[in-house]
Amino acid sequence: MISMVTGKVAFSSVSKTDTYNGQDTGNFSLTVTLDDGDAEILRQKGIRLKEYEGSFQRKFKSKYPVEIINLDDSPYEGEIPRGSDVRVVYSMGPEHPTWGPSTYLGKVRVVLEAEPLNDMTEEF
């Protein structure tokens, strides 16, 4: 089943595969901060969400490069800056007994691009 959510980018690893503890995961990923309505829809589907600073987030993953487009349908290049508004097309994978169903990243539309941070200290 293919579905769509909207939200703000929390973490983007769509131009290269993600790393965890210095190891390449082999997955492209996008973590999105969801509005309450989309968060509730995902919860009703049994998808587990992470709460961060009073908002709900979900990580969407793919083993393959993902199509990312701008609002005008032109291709988007590079990582999507934190805070950018996006629409994410995803599909659900098999049910995991502990973590619930997987969410596979399908396609991303950048609705409003945020200013990229030039210096990591700007986040603090």
Side-chain angles (χ1 to χ4, degrees):
M1 180 172 147
I2 296 176
S3 301
M4 184 184 78
V5 294
T6 59
K8 292 196 178 289
V9 172
F11 302 102
S12 173
S13 187
V14 292
S15 66
K16 59 182 174 30
T17 54
D18 202 4
T19 57
Y20 180 74
N21 288 335
Q23 301 282 340
D24 187 338
T25 66
N27 292 317
F28 297 90
S29 68
L30 188 67
T31 302
V32 178
T33 301
L34 306 160
D35 66 27
D36 291 340
D38 280 341
E40 183 57 31
I41 289 168
L42 291 180
R43 276 198 297 268
Q44 288 176 0
K45 292 179 178 182
I47 297 171
R48 307 266 168 105
L49 304 176
K50 175 183 170 186
E51 188 173 355
Y52 180 74
E53 294 184 350
S55 296
F56 292 100
Q57 296 180 336
R58 180 63 192 192
K59 186 175 192 175
F60 299 88
K61 297 189 255 183
S62 174
K63 290 194 178 290
Y64 308 99
V66 176
E67 181 181 8
I68 305 168
I69 56 175
N70 291 298
L71 204 50
D72 65 0
D73 289 335
S74 63
Y76 185 88
E77 299 294 327
E79 290 302 334
I80 305 170
R82 181 183 183 96
S84 296
D85 293 326
V86 292
R87 292 183 197 140
V88 177
V89 173
Y90 71 95
S91 58
M92 291 175 48
E95 180 82 23
H96 185 279
T98 304
W99 307 111
S102 300
T103 49
Y104 298 126
L105 186 57
K107 192 183 213 182
V108 179
R109 180 181 297 273
V110 178
V111 177
L112 181 62
E113 182 179 26
E115 281 293 316
L117 296 175
N118 295 328
D119 182 350
M120 288 301 291
T121 59
E122 290 182 44
E123 286 188 38
F124 295 102

